Amino acid sequence: MEHSKATSPEKATPADQAQPAPLTQRPILGTLQEDQYIHLVRLAWDLRGLGVAARLELPLAEKPYLTAQGMRRPVRVIAYRFGEHWIYQWGRGRNQWIGALDPEAAQEIRKAAAR
């Protein structure tokens, strides 16, 4: 008995077409956007622990991002790969980024959302 049901091309929805290939069919496990998502999920949990609500967005035409709901304004955070390292960036200023593995990352983003 077959458990999966194949979707014919004429009945495929945009969501079906946007699905990544199964992991077994990828040459490398984890795409850049999947890695970005994983970093943002970690940040969301860290922010939650600090009492900051966070919402993850996975737009079809943009990079994944997190919105931290601050006391004054929401802050949009994107995870970037910078050389061999990952960073979080929430603006264009020199002080608006931090290493994704920095233990103070969530605290810095919380401060930015409180300004």
Side-chain angles (χ1 to χ4, degrees):
M1 177 180 228
E2 189 174 327
H3 293 285
S4 64
K5 182 179 175 184
T7 304
S8 64
E10 62 271 5
K11 293 184 180 182
T13 67
D16 294 330
Q17 295 168 356
Q19 296 300 313
L23 290 175
T24 56
Q25 295 177 6
R26 294 187 195 166
I28 299 173
L29 295 179
T31 65
L32 181 66
Q33 287 187 333
E34 288 168 337
D35 290 345
Q36 288 171 321
Y37 174 77
I38 290 167
H39 283 289
L40 293 173
V41 167
R42 285 184 32 261
L43 177 61
W45 279 106
D46 290 347
L47 288 168
R48 185 176 187 260
L50 294 174
V52 178
R55 183 178 68 231
L56 255 74
E57 299 286 338
L58 299 173
L60 292 176
E62 296 179 57
K63 295 177 182 184
Y65 64 90
L66 174 142
T67 303
Q69 302 296 325
M71 294 172 265
R72 298 199 180 221
R73 65 180 180 97
V75 173
R76 185 173 171 164
V77 181
I78 298 176
Y80 282 103
R81 187 170 174 190
F82 188 72
E84 294 297 314
H85 304 282
W86 281 91
I87 64 167
Y88 296 126
Q89 185 175 11
W90 58 92
R92 295 184 182 201
R94 292 183 348 175
N95 296 328
Q96 294 179 312
W97 67 272
I98 192 166
L101 300 178
D102 189 313
E104 298 296 317
Q107 186 66 28
E108 288 299 314
I109 292 166
R110 178 179 173 265
K111 288 178 191 175
R115 292 184 193 134

